[in-house]
PDB file of all heavy atoms in Angstrom:
ATOM      1  N   LEU A 207     -45.360  31.110 -18.791  1.00  0.00           N
ATOM      2  CA  LEU A 207     -46.325  31.945 -19.545  1.00  0.00           C
ATOM      3  C   LEU A 207     -47.322  32.613 -18.494  1.00  0.00           C
ATOM      4  O   LEU A 207     -48.044  33.523 -18.866  1.00  0.00           O
ATOM      5  CB  LEU A 207     -47.125  31.032 -20.492  1.00  0.00           C
ATOM      6  CG  LEU A 207     -46.290  30.151 -21.378  1.00  0.00           C
ATOM      7  CD1 LEU A 207     -47.134  29.164 -22.277  1.00  0.00           C
ATOM      8  CD2 LEU A 207     -45.427  31.013 -22.232  1.00  0.00           C
ATOM      9  N   VAL A 221     -46.784  28.823 -14.331  1.00  0.00           N
ATOM     10  CA  VAL A 221     -47.172  27.737 -15.283  1.00  0.00           C
ATOM     11  C   VAL A 221     -46.364  28.068 -16.603  1.00  0.00           C
ATOM     12  O   VAL A 221     -46.152  29.189 -16.960  1.00  0.00           O
ATOM     13  CB  VAL A 221     -48.571  27.486 -15.404  1.00  0.00           C
ATOM     14  CG1 VAL A 221     -49.153  27.235 -14.029  1.00  0.00           C
ATOM     15  CG2 VAL A 221     -49.218  28.772 -15.891  1.00  0.00           C
ATOM     16  N   ALA A 246     -49.390  19.436 -22.230  1.00  0.00           N
ATOM     17  CA  ALA A 246     -49.776  20.649 -22.920  1.00  0.00           C
ATOM     18  C   ALA A 246     -49.222  21.921 -22.295  1.00  0.00           C
ATOM     19  O   ALA A 246     -49.001  21.911 -21.121  1.00  0.00           O
ATOM     20  CB  ALA A 246     -51.303  20.756 -22.954  1.00  0.00           C
ATOM     21  N   ASN A 247     -49.031  22.980 -23.154  1.00  0.00           N
ATOM     22  CA  ASN A 247     -48.623  24.165 -22.503  1.00  0.00           C
ATOM     23  C   ASN A 247     -49.747  24.802 -21.599  1.00  0.00           C
ATOM     24  O   ASN A 247     -50.891  24.753 -21.990  1.00  0.00           O
ATOM     25  CB  ASN A 247     -48.321  25.197 -23.718  1.00  0.00           C
ATOM     26  CG  ASN A 247     -47.210  24.794 -24.553  1.00  0.00           C
ATOM     27  OD1 ASN A 247     -46.482  23.854 -24.222  1.00  0.00           O
ATOM     28  ND2 ASN A 247     -46.972  25.605 -25.727  1.00  0.00           N
ATOM     29  N   LEU A 248     -49.271  25.235 -20.499  1.00  0.00           N
ATOM     30  CA  LEU A 248     -50.204  25.884 -19.581  1.00  0.00           C
ATOM     31  C   LEU A 248     -49.929  27.367 -19.595  1.00  0.00           C
ATOM     32  O   LEU A 248     -48.881  27.802 -19.397  1.00  0.00           O
ATOM     33  CB  LEU A 248     -49.912  25.257 -18.185  1.00  0.00           C
ATOM     34  CG  LEU A 248     -49.973  23.887 -17.995  1.00  0.00           C
ATOM     35  CD1 LEU A 248     -49.641  23.205 -16.603  1.00  0.00           C
ATOM     36  CD2 LEU A 248     -51.322  23.301 -18.464  1.00  0.00           C
ATOM     37  N   ASN A 249     -50.981  28.075 -19.767  1.00  0.00           N
ATOM     38  CA  ASN A 249     -50.990  29.539 -20.171  1.00  0.00           C
ATOM     39  C   ASN A 249     -51.332  30.575 -19.010  1.00  0.00           C
ATOM     40  O   ASN A 249     -50.852  31.595 -19.037  1.00  0.00           O
ATOM     41  CB  ASN A 249     -51.834  29.849 -21.418  1.00  0.00           C
ATOM     42  CG  ASN A 249     -51.493  28.914 -22.566  1.00  0.00           C
ATOM     43  OD1 ASN A 249     -50.221  28.917 -23.000  1.00  0.00           O
ATOM     44  ND2 ASN A 249     -52.555  28.406 -23.210  1.00  0.00           N
ATOM     45  N   ALA A 250     -52.082  30.006 -18.104  1.00  0.00           N
ATOM     46  CA  ALA A 250     -52.674  31.051 -17.016  1.00  0.00           C
ATOM     47  C   ALA A 250     -52.956  30.221 -15.812  1.00  0.00           C
ATOM     48  O   ALA A 250     -53.425  29.075 -15.812  1.00  0.00           O
ATOM     49  CB  ALA A 250     -53.774  31.848 -17.656  1.00  0.00           C
ATOM     50  N   VAL A 251     -52.860  30.980 -14.600  1.00  0.00           N
ATOM     51  CA  VAL A 251     -53.157  30.223 -13.352  1.00  0.00           C
ATOM     52  C   VAL A 251     -53.970  31.225 -12.518  1.00  0.00           C
ATOM     53  O   VAL A 251     -53.650  32.525 -12.565  1.00  0.00           O
ATOM     54  CB  VAL A 251     -51.930  29.751 -12.644  1.00  0.00           C
ATOM     55  CG1 VAL A 251     -50.753  30.890 -12.508  1.00  0.00           C
ATOM     56  CG2 VAL A 251     -52.166  29.161 -11.347  1.00  0.00           C
ATOM     57  N   ILE A 261     -55.885  26.248 -13.600  1.00  0.00           N
ATOM     58  CA  ILE A 261     -54.963  26.517 -14.550  1.00  0.00           C
ATOM     59  C   ILE A 261     -55.651  26.263 -15.965  1.00  0.00           C
ATOM     60  O   ILE A 261     -56.343  25.222 -16.137  1.00  0.00           O
ATOM     61  CB  ILE A 261     -53.684  25.574 -14.426  1.00  0.00           C
ATOM     62  CG1 ILE A 261     -52.925  25.905 -13.183  1.00  0.00           C
ATOM     63  CG2 ILE A 261     -52.809  25.694 -15.644  1.00  0.00           C
ATOM     64  CD1 ILE A 261     -51.784  25.012 -12.857  1.00  0.00           C
ATOM     65  N   ALA A 262     -55.424  27.110 -16.903  1.00  0.00           N
ATOM     66  CA  ALA A 262     -55.932  27.011 -18.301  1.00  0.00           C
ATOM     67  C   ALA A 262     -54.705  26.745 -19.181  1.00  0.00           C
ATOM     68  O   ALA A 262     -53.645  27.343 -19.116  1.00  0.00           O
ATOM     69  CB  ALA A 262     -56.643  28.251 -18.712  1.00  0.00           C
ATOM     70  N   GLY A 263     -54.927  25.881 -20.224  1.00  0.00           N
ATOM     71  CA  GLY A 263     -53.901  25.458 -21.115  1.00  0.00           C
ATOM     72  C   GLY A 263     -54.312  25.080 -22.461  1.00  0.00           C
ATOM     73  O   GLY A 263     -55.536  25.183 -22.795  1.00  0.00           O
ATOM     74  N   ASN A 264     -53.382  24.527 -23.295  1.00  0.00           N
ATOM     75  CA  ASN A 264     -53.692  24.201 -24.643  1.00  0.00           C
ATOM     76  C   ASN A 264     -54.582  22.931 -24.714  1.00  0.00           C
ATOM     77  O   ASN A 264     -54.754  22.180 -23.859  1.00  0.00           O
ATOM     78  CB  ASN A 264     -52.398  24.007 -25.501  1.00  0.00           C
ATOM     79  CG  ASN A 264     -51.646  25.345 -25.775  1.00  0.00           C
ATOM     80  OD1 ASN A 264     -52.134  26.440 -25.509  1.00  0.00           O
ATOM     81  ND2 ASN A 264     -50.678  25.296 -26.434  1.00  0.00           N
ATOM     82  N   THR A 265     -55.114  22.824 -25.909  1.00  0.00           N
ATOM     83  CA  THR A 265     -56.029  21.678 -26.293  1.00  0.00           C
ATOM     84  C   THR A 265     -57.199  21.494 -25.226  1.00  0.00           C
ATOM     85  O   THR A 265     -57.445  20.335 -24.831  1.00  0.00           O
ATOM     86  CB  THR A 265     -55.220  20.305 -26.446  1.00  0.00           C
ATOM     87  OG1 THR A 265     -54.582  20.050 -25.112  1.00  0.00           O
ATOM     88  CG2 THR A 265     -54.160  20.459 -27.401  1.00  0.00           C
ATOM     89  N   GLY A 266     -57.802  22.494 -24.791  1.00  0.00           N
ATOM     90  CA  GLY A 266     -58.938  22.527 -23.837  1.00  0.00           C
ATOM     91  C   GLY A 266     -58.512  22.030 -22.368  1.00  0.00           C
ATOM     92  O   GLY A 266     -59.439  21.656 -21.679  1.00  0.00           O
ATOM     93  N   THR A 267     -57.238  22.217 -22.090  1.00  0.00           N
ATOM     94  CA  THR A 267     -56.880  21.815 -20.784  1.00  0.00           C
ATOM     95  C   THR A 267     -57.362  22.741 -19.673  1.00  0.00           C
ATOM     96  O   THR A 267     -56.990  24.025 -19.723  1.00  0.00           O
ATOM     97  CB  THR A 267     -55.372  21.697 -20.696  1.00  0.00           C
ATOM     98  OG1 THR A 267     -54.857  20.798 -21.606  1.00  0.00           O
ATOM     99  CG2 THR A 267     -54.884  21.287 -19.329  1.00  0.00           C
ATOM    100  N   LEU A 268     -58.030  22.269 -18.833  1.00  0.00           N
ATOM    101  CA  LEU A 268     -58.430  23.062 -17.518  1.00  0.00           C
ATOM    102  C   LEU A 268     -58.131  22.152 -16.253  1.00  0.00           C
ATOM    103  O   LEU A 268     -58.723  21.101 -16.154  1.00  0.00           O
ATOM    104  CB  LEU A 268     -59.880  23.406 -17.627  1.00  0.00           C
ATOM    105  CG  LEU A 268     -60.395  24.543 -16.791  1.00  0.00           C
ATOM    106  CD1 LEU A 268     -59.631  25.807 -17.057  1.00  0.00           C
ATOM    107  CD2 LEU A 268     -61.885  24.729 -16.869  1.00  0.00           C
ATOM    108  N   LEU A 269     -57.262  22.561 -15.519  1.00  0.00           N
ATOM    109  CA  LEU A 269     -56.741  21.838 -14.313  1.00  0.00           C
ATOM    110  C   LEU A 269     -57.349  22.561 -12.997  1.00  0.00           C
ATOM    111  O   LEU A 269     -57.502  23.730 -12.846  1.00  0.00           O
ATOM    112  CB  LEU A 269     -55.247  21.662 -14.193  1.00  0.00           C
ATOM    113  CG  LEU A 269     -54.530  21.127 -15.445  1.00  0.00           C
ATOM    114  CD1 LEU A 269     -52.975  21.212 -15.152  1.00  0.00           C
ATOM    115  CD2 LEU A 269     -55.079  19.803 -15.706  1.00  0.00           C
ATOM    116  N   ARG A 280     -57.481  17.132 -14.116  1.00  0.00           N
ATOM    117  CA  ARG A 280     -57.983  17.764 -15.292  1.00  0.00           C
ATOM    118  C   ARG A 280     -59.571  17.651 -15.249  1.00  0.00           C
ATOM    119  O   ARG A 280     -60.076  16.535 -15.006  1.00  0.00           O
ATOM    120  CB  ARG A 280     -57.468  17.037 -16.526  1.00  0.00           C
ATOM    121  CG  ARG A 280     -57.824  17.730 -17.765  1.00  0.00           C
ATOM    122  CD  ARG A 280     -57.154  17.250 -19.122  1.00  0.00           C
ATOM    123  NE  ARG A 280     -57.548  18.079 -20.219  1.00  0.00           N
ATOM    124  CZ  ARG A 280     -56.962  17.908 -21.274  1.00  0.00           C
ATOM    125  NH1 ARG A 280     -55.862  17.246 -21.484  1.00  0.00           N
ATOM    126  NH2 ARG A 280     -57.359  18.625 -22.433  1.00  0.00           N
ATOM    127  N   VAL A 281     -60.101  18.890 -15.622  1.00  0.00           N
ATOM    128  CA  VAL A 281     -61.652  18.814 -15.555  1.00  0.00           C
ATOM    129  C   VAL A 281     -62.053  18.822 -17.041  1.00  0.00           C
ATOM    130  O   VAL A 281     -61.489  19.416 -18.079  1.00  0.00           O
ATOM    131  CB  VAL A 281     -61.986  20.299 -15.026  1.00  0.00           C
ATOM    132  CG1 VAL A 281     -63.531  20.356 -15.088  1.00  0.00           C
ATOM    133  CG2 VAL A 281     -61.539  20.333 -13.606  1.00  0.00           C
ATOM    134  N   THR A 282     -63.123  18.006 -17.289  1.00  0.00           N
ATOM    135  CA  THR A 282     -63.688  17.859 -18.626  1.00  0.00           C
ATOM    136  C   THR A 282     -64.489  19.182 -18.953  1.00  0.00           C
ATOM    137  O   THR A 282     -65.485  19.392 -18.242  1.00  0.00           O
ATOM    138  CB  THR A 282     -64.520  16.673 -18.662  1.00  0.00           C
ATOM    139  OG1 THR A 282     -63.700  15.449 -18.361  1.00  0.00           O
ATOM    140  CG2 THR A 282     -65.097  16.447 -19.987  1.00  0.00           C
ATOM    141  N   VAL A 283     -64.174  19.671 -20.086  1.00  0.00           N
ATOM    142  CA  VAL A 283     -65.019  20.798 -20.633  1.00  0.00           C
ATOM    143  C   VAL A 283     -65.226  20.643 -22.031  1.00  0.00           C
ATOM    144  O   VAL A 283     -64.581  19.824 -22.698  1.00  0.00           O
ATOM    145  CB  VAL A 283     -64.283  22.070 -20.360  1.00  0.00           C
ATOM    146  CG1 VAL A 283     -64.074  22.490 -18.917  1.00  0.00           C
ATOM    147  CG2 VAL A 283     -62.877  22.100 -20.996  1.00  0.00           C
ATOM    148  N   ASN A 284     -66.336  21.438 -22.547  1.00  0.00           N
ATOM    149  CA  ASN A 284     -66.650  21.226 -23.978  1.00  0.00           C
ATOM    150  C   ASN A 284     -65.801  22.191 -24.820  1.00  0.00           C
ATOM    151  O   ASN A 284     -66.246  23.043 -25.358  1.00  0.00           O
ATOM    152  CB  ASN A 284     -68.136  21.575 -24.080  1.00  0.00           C
ATOM    153  CG  ASN A 284     -68.679  21.470 -25.604  1.00  0.00           C
ATOM    154  OD1 ASN A 284     -68.037  20.667 -26.229  1.00  0.00           O
ATOM    155  ND2 ASN A 284     -69.651  22.155 -25.830  1.00  0.00           N
ATOM    156  N   ALA A 285     -64.516  21.827 -24.899  1.00  0.00           N
ATOM    157  CA  ALA A 285     -63.607  22.628 -25.691  1.00  0.00           C
ATOM    158  C   ALA A 285     -62.330  21.957 -25.936  1.00  0.00           C
ATOM    159  O   ALA A 285     -61.844  21.258 -25.033  1.00  0.00           O
ATOM    160  CB  ALA A 285     -63.282  23.893 -24.897  1.00  0.00           C
ATOM    161  N   SER A 286     -61.820  21.961 -27.209  1.00  0.00           N
ATOM    162  CA  SER A 286     -60.496  21.384 -27.570  1.00  0.00           C
ATOM    163  C   SER A 286     -59.547  22.617 -27.949  1.00  0.00           C
ATOM    164  O   SER A 286     -58.349  22.193 -28.210  1.00  0.00           O
ATOM    165  CB  SER A 286     -60.634  20.424 -28.633  1.00  0.00           C
ATOM    166  OG  SER A 286     -61.234  21.020 -29.793  1.00  0.00           O
ATOM    167  N   GLU A 287     -60.030  23.809 -27.940  1.00  0.00           N
ATOM    168  CA  GLU A 287     -59.197  24.935 -28.358  1.00  0.00           C
ATOM    169  C   GLU A 287     -58.044  25.276 -27.284  1.00  0.00           C
ATOM    170  O   GLU A 287     -58.347  24.799 -26.046  1.00  0.00           O
ATOM    171  CB  GLU A 287     -60.184  26.163 -28.509  1.00  0.00           C
ATOM    172  CG  GLU A 287     -61.000  26.117 -29.654  1.00  0.00           C
ATOM    173  CD  GLU A 287     -62.300  25.449 -29.319  1.00  0.00           C
ATOM    174  OE1 GLU A 287     -62.436  25.002 -28.150  1.00  0.00           O
ATOM    175  OE2 GLU A 287     -63.154  25.358 -30.129  1.00  0.00           O
ATOM    176  N   ASN A 288     -57.119  25.999 -27.548  1.00  0.00           N
ATOM    177  CA  ASN A 288     -56.117  26.345 -26.527  1.00  0.00           C
ATOM    178  C   ASN A 288     -56.805  27.421 -25.629  1.00  0.00           C
ATOM    179  O   ASN A 288     -57.285  28.400 -26.086  1.00  0.00           O
ATOM    180  CB  ASN A 288     -54.905  26.942 -27.292  1.00  0.00           C
ATOM    181  CG  ASN A 288     -54.228  26.067 -28.087  1.00  0.00           C
ATOM    182  OD1 ASN A 288     -54.450  24.854 -27.916  1.00  0.00           O
ATOM    183  ND2 ASN A 288     -53.409  26.483 -28.973  1.00  0.00           N
ATOM    184  N   LEU A 289     -56.812  27.213 -24.436  1.00  0.00           N
ATOM    185  CA  LEU A 289     -57.326  28.126 -23.420  1.00  0.00           C
ATOM    186  C   LEU A 289     -56.235  29.041 -22.942  1.00  0.00           C
ATOM    187  O   LEU A 289     -55.269  28.474 -22.417  1.00  0.00           O
ATOM    188  CB  LEU A 289     -57.947  27.364 -22.179  1.00  0.00           C
ATOM    189  CG  LEU A 289     -59.214  26.427 -22.721  1.00  0.00           C
ATOM    190  CD1 LEU A 289     -59.683  25.746 -21.363  1.00  0.00           C
ATOM    191  CD2 LEU A 289     -60.258  27.284 -23.397  1.00  0.00           C
ATOM    192  N   MET A 290     -56.364  30.383 -23.082  1.00  0.00           N
ATOM    193  CA  MET A 290     -55.195  31.391 -22.878  1.00  0.00           C
ATOM    194  C   MET A 290     -55.378  32.038 -21.563  1.00  0.00           C
ATOM    195  O   MET A 290     -54.326  32.419 -21.141  1.00  0.00           O
ATOM    196  CB  MET A 290     -55.376  32.303 -24.026  1.00  0.00           C
ATOM    197  CG  MET A 290     -55.225  31.802 -25.411  1.00  0.00           C
ATOM    198  SD  MET A 290     -53.925  30.529 -25.659  1.00  0.00           S
ATOM    199  CE  MET A 290     -52.384  31.481 -25.474  1.00  0.00           C
ATOM    200  N   ASP A 291     -56.557  32.061 -20.953  1.00  0.00           N
ATOM    201  CA  ASP A 291     -56.580  32.720 -19.625  1.00  0.00           C
ATOM    202  C   ASP A 291     -57.778  32.220 -18.834  1.00  0.00           C
ATOM    203  O   ASP A 291     -58.664  31.646 -19.344  1.00  0.00           O
ATOM    204  CB  ASP A 291     -56.839  34.317 -19.868  1.00  0.00           C
ATOM    205  CG  ASP A 291     -56.489  35.171 -18.659  1.00  0.00           C
ATOM    206  OD1 ASP A 291     -55.871  34.580 -17.736  1.00  0.00           O
ATOM    207  OD2 ASP A 291     -56.770  36.343 -18.681  1.00  0.00           O
ATOM    208  N   VAL A 292     -57.731  32.423 -17.507  1.00  0.00           N
ATOM    209  CA  VAL A 292     -58.692  31.962 -16.715  1.00  0.00           C
ATOM    210  C   VAL A 292     -58.793  32.920 -15.399  1.00  0.00           C
ATOM    211  O   VAL A 292     -57.744  33.422 -15.016  1.00  0.00           O
ATOM    212  CB  VAL A 292     -58.572  30.576 -16.169  1.00  0.00           C
ATOM    213  CG1 VAL A 292     -57.213  30.481 -15.368  1.00  0.00           C
ATOM    214  CG2 VAL A 292     -59.715  30.063 -15.235  1.00  0.00           C
ATOM    215  N   TRP A 301     -64.431  31.988 -15.457  1.00  0.00           N
ATOM    216  CA  TRP A 301     -64.390  32.102 -16.904  1.00  0.00           C
ATOM    217  C   TRP A 301     -63.115  31.733 -17.471  1.00  0.00           C
ATOM    218  O   TRP A 301     -62.015  32.046 -16.773  1.00  0.00           O
ATOM    219  CB  TRP A 301     -64.770  33.505 -17.451  1.00  0.00           C
ATOM    220  CG  TRP A 301     -66.010  34.011 -16.929  1.00  0.00           C
ATOM    221  CD1 TRP A 301     -67.227  34.035 -17.697  1.00  0.00           C
ATOM    222  CD2 TRP A 301     -66.334  34.734 -15.776  1.00  0.00           C
ATOM    223  NE1 TRP A 301     -68.229  34.740 -16.971  1.00  0.00           N
ATOM    224  CE2 TRP A 301     -67.618  35.250 -15.786  1.00  0.00           C
ATOM    225  CE3 TRP A 301     -65.458  35.158 -14.609  1.00  0.00           C
ATOM    226  CZ2 TRP A 301     -68.216  35.962 -14.716  1.00  0.00           C
ATOM    227  CZ3 TRP A 301     -66.009  35.937 -13.709  1.00  0.00           C
ATOM    228  CH2 TRP A 301     -67.350  36.215 -13.715  1.00  0.00           C
ATOM    229  N   ALA A 302     -63.166  31.083 -18.533  1.00  0.00           N
ATOM    230  CA  ALA A 302     -61.809  30.655 -19.348  1.00  0.00           C
ATOM    231  C   ALA A 302     -62.018  31.126 -20.810  1.00  0.00           C
ATOM    232  O   ALA A 302     -63.184  30.817 -21.283  1.00  0.00           O
ATOM    233  CB  ALA A 302     -61.470  29.317 -19.172  1.00  0.00           C
ATOM    234  N   VAL A 303     -61.006  31.625 -21.448  1.00  0.00           N
ATOM    235  CA  VAL A 303     -61.130  32.042 -22.893  1.00  0.00           C
ATOM    236  C   VAL A 303     -59.929  31.534 -23.674  1.00  0.00           C
ATOM    237  O   VAL A 303     -58.947  31.252 -23.028  1.00  0.00           O
ATOM    238  CB  VAL A 303     -61.290  33.632 -22.927  1.00  0.00           C
ATOM    239  CG1 VAL A 303     -62.409  34.225 -22.213  1.00  0.00           C
ATOM    240  CG2 VAL A 303     -59.994  34.375 -22.414  1.00  0.00           C
ATOM    241  N   GLY A 304     -60.175  31.491 -25.071  1.00  0.00           N
ATOM    242  CA  GLY A 304     -59.192  30.924 -25.737  1.00  0.00           C
ATOM    243  C   GLY A 304     -59.354  31.113 -27.275  1.00  0.00           C
ATOM    244  O   GLY A 304     -60.042  31.892 -27.705  1.00  0.00           O
ATOM    245  N   GLY A 305     -58.887  29.972 -27.931  1.00  0.00           N
ATOM    246  CA  GLY A 305     -58.870  29.983 -29.433  1.00  0.00           C
ATOM    247  C   GLY A 305     -60.172  29.979 -30.059  1.00  0.00           C
ATOM    248  O   GLY A 305     -61.138  29.475 -29.436  1.00  0.00           O
ATOM    249  N   SER A 306     -60.321  30.571 -31.307  1.00  0.00           N
ATOM    250  CA  SER A 306     -61.563  30.583 -32.015  1.00  0.00           C
ATOM    251  C   SER A 306     -62.732  31.323 -31.290  1.00  0.00           C
ATOM    252  O   SER A 306     -63.929  30.939 -31.418  1.00  0.00           O
ATOM    253  CB  SER A 306     -62.045  29.135 -32.429  1.00  0.00           C
ATOM    254  OG  SER A 306     -61.046  28.517 -33.209  1.00  0.00           O
ATOM    255  N   GLY A 307     -62.261  32.210 -30.422  1.00  0.00           N
ATOM    256  CA  GLY A 307     -63.365  33.005 -29.659  1.00  0.00           C
ATOM    257  C   GLY A 307     -64.035  32.331 -28.675  1.00  0.00           C
ATOM    258  O   GLY A 307     -65.157  32.807 -28.208  1.00  0.00           O
ATOM    259  N   VAL A 308     -63.451  31.180 -28.204  1.00  0.00           N
ATOM    260  CA  VAL A 308     -64.380  30.454 -27.229  1.00  0.00           C
ATOM    261  C   VAL A 308     -64.202  31.022 -25.764  1.00  0.00           C
ATOM    262  O   VAL A 308     -63.149  31.485 -25.286  1.00  0.00           O
ATOM    263  CB  VAL A 308     -63.869  28.876 -27.149  1.00  0.00           C
ATOM    264  CG1 VAL A 308     -62.433  28.969 -26.580  1.00  0.00           C
ATOM    265  CG2 VAL A 308     -64.772  28.075 -26.122  1.00  0.00           C
ATOM    266  N   MET A 309     -65.394  31.150 -25.091  1.00  0.00           N
ATOM    267  CA  MET A 309     -65.361  31.425 -23.621  1.00  0.00           C
ATOM    268  C   MET A 309     -66.260  30.481 -22.966  1.00  0.00           C
ATOM    269  O   MET A 309     -67.404  30.169 -23.264  1.00  0.00           O
ATOM    270  CB  MET A 309     -66.054  32.818 -23.479  1.00  0.00           C
ATOM    271  CG  MET A 309     -66.140  33.208 -22.055  1.00  0.00           C
ATOM    272  SD  MET A 309     -66.420  35.036 -21.754  1.00  0.00           S
ATOM    273  CE  MET A 309     -68.175  35.044 -22.215  1.00  0.00           C
ATOM    274  N   LEU A 310     -65.649  29.795 -21.863  1.00  0.00           N
ATOM    275  CA  LEU A 310     -66.318  28.962 -20.968  1.00  0.00           C
ATOM    276  C   LEU A 310     -66.614  29.624 -19.671  1.00  0.00           C
ATOM    277  O   LEU A 310     -65.864  30.507 -19.288  1.00  0.00           O
ATOM    278  CB  LEU A 310     -65.355  27.719 -20.715  1.00  0.00           C
ATOM    279  CG  LEU A 310     -64.739  26.963 -21.919  1.00  0.00           C
ATOM    280  CD1 LEU A 310     -63.800  26.026 -21.328  1.00  0.00           C
ATOM    281  CD2 LEU A 310     -65.807  26.477 -22.706  1.00  0.00           C
ATOM    282  N   TRP A 319     -69.373  23.575 -16.999  1.00  0.00           N
ATOM    283  CA  TRP A 319     -68.943  24.815 -17.776  1.00  0.00           C
ATOM    284  C   TRP A 319     -69.828  24.860 -18.880  1.00  0.00           C
ATOM    285  O   TRP A 319     -69.896  23.880 -19.712  1.00  0.00           O
ATOM    286  CB  TRP A 319     -67.450  24.686 -18.205  1.00  0.00           C
ATOM    287  CG  TRP A 319     -66.503  24.677 -16.963  1.00  0.00           C
ATOM    288  CD1 TRP A 319     -66.220  23.577 -16.104  1.00  0.00           C
ATOM    289  CD2 TRP A 319     -65.767  25.840 -16.522  1.00  0.00           C
ATOM    290  NE1 TRP A 319     -65.291  24.086 -15.075  1.00  0.00           N
ATOM    291  CE2 TRP A 319     -64.974  25.390 -15.390  1.00  0.00           C
ATOM    292  CE3 TRP A 319     -65.516  27.151 -16.984  1.00  0.00           C
ATOM    293  CZ2 TRP A 319     -64.039  26.214 -14.696  1.00  0.00           C
ATOM    294  CZ3 TRP A 319     -64.760  27.961 -16.337  1.00  0.00           C
ATOM    295  CH2 TRP A 319     -64.019  27.537 -15.242  1.00  0.00           C
ATOM    296  N   ARG A 321     -70.530  26.982 -22.773  1.00  0.00           N
ATOM    297  CA  ARG A 321     -69.744  27.444 -23.663  1.00  0.00           C
ATOM    298  C   ARG A 321     -70.405  28.459 -24.705  1.00  0.00           C
ATOM    299  O   ARG A 321     -71.622  28.209 -24.959  1.00  0.00           O
ATOM    300  CB  ARG A 321     -69.188  26.346 -24.589  1.00  0.00           C
ATOM    301  CG  ARG A 321     -68.236  26.716 -25.898  1.00  0.00           C
ATOM    302  CD  ARG A 321     -68.187  25.540 -26.732  1.00  0.00           C
ATOM    303  NE  ARG A 321     -67.518  26.007 -28.041  1.00  0.00           N
ATOM    304  CZ  ARG A 321     -66.342  25.641 -28.431  1.00  0.00           C
ATOM    305  NH1 ARG A 321     -65.591  24.772 -27.708  1.00  0.00           N
ATOM    306  NH2 ARG A 321     -65.871  26.032 -29.556  1.00  0.00           N
ATOM    307  N   THR A 328     -58.661  34.528 -31.580  1.00  0.00           N
ATOM    308  CA  THR A 328     -58.216  33.956 -30.249  1.00  0.00           C
ATOM    309  C   THR A 328     -58.479  35.081 -29.233  1.00  0.00           C
ATOM    310  O   THR A 328     -57.962  36.146 -29.319  1.00  0.00           O
ATOM    311  CB  THR A 328     -56.849  33.626 -30.220  1.00  0.00           C
ATOM    312  OG1 THR A 328     -56.567  32.588 -31.221  1.00  0.00           O
ATOM    313  CG2 THR A 328     -56.334  33.119 -28.876  1.00  0.00           C
ATOM    314  N   LEU A 329     -59.205  34.645 -28.155  1.00  0.00           N
ATOM    315  CA  LEU A 329     -59.437  35.549 -26.943  1.00  0.00           C
ATOM    316  C   LEU A 329     -58.121  35.295 -26.007  1.00  0.00           C
ATOM    317  O   LEU A 329     -57.845  34.187 -25.577  1.00  0.00           O
ATOM    318  CB  LEU A 329     -60.636  35.179 -26.229  1.00  0.00           C
ATOM    319  CG  LEU A 329     -61.888  35.319 -27.115  1.00  0.00           C
ATOM    320  CD1 LEU A 329     -63.192  34.847 -26.279  1.00  0.00           C
ATOM    321  CD2 LEU A 329     -62.111  36.775 -27.511  1.00  0.00           C
ATOM    322  N   ARG A 330     -57.399  36.365 -25.761  1.00  0.00           N
ATOM    323  CA  ARG A 330     -56.244  36.363 -24.982  1.00  0.00           C
ATOM    324  C   ARG A 330     -56.310  36.493 -23.430  1.00  0.00           C
ATOM    325  O   ARG A 330     -55.502  35.987 -22.623  1.00  0.00           O
ATOM    326  CB  ARG A 330     -55.172  37.320 -25.575  1.00  0.00           C
ATOM    327  CG  ARG A 330     -54.678  36.877 -26.924  1.00  0.00           C
ATOM    328  CD  ARG A 330     -53.630  35.828 -26.833  1.00  0.00           C
ATOM    329  NE  ARG A 330     -53.109  35.371 -28.153  1.00  0.00           N
ATOM    330  CZ  ARG A 330     -52.160  34.513 -28.297  1.00  0.00           C
ATOM    331  NH1 ARG A 330     -51.581  34.080 -27.182  1.00  0.00           N
ATOM    332  NH2 ARG A 330     -51.780  34.278 -29.473  1.00  0.00           N
ATOM    333  N   GLY A 331     -57.283  37.380 -23.083  1.00  0.00           N
ATOM    334  CA  GLY A 331     -57.328  37.734 -21.705  1.00  0.00           C
ATOM    335  C   GLY A 331     -58.814  37.934 -21.237  1.00  0.00           C
ATOM    336  O   GLY A 331     -59.586  38.311 -21.994  1.00  0.00           O
TER     337      GLY A 331
END
Side-chain angles (χ1 to χ4, degrees):
L207 308 174
V221 298
N247 292 352
L248 302 179
N249 301 311
V251 54
I261 293 174
N264 286 1
T265 62
T267 300
L268 198 59
L269 304 180
R280 183 163 184 172
V281 176
T282 300
V283 294
N284 183 25
S286 59
E287 294 86 356
N288 295 340
L289 300 178
M290 307 307 299
D291 199 11
V292 60
W301 303 265
V303 298
S306 302
V308 65
M309 180 166 70
L310 306 177
W319 293 80
R321 171 192 173 111
T328 297
L329 301 176
R330 288 284 180 173

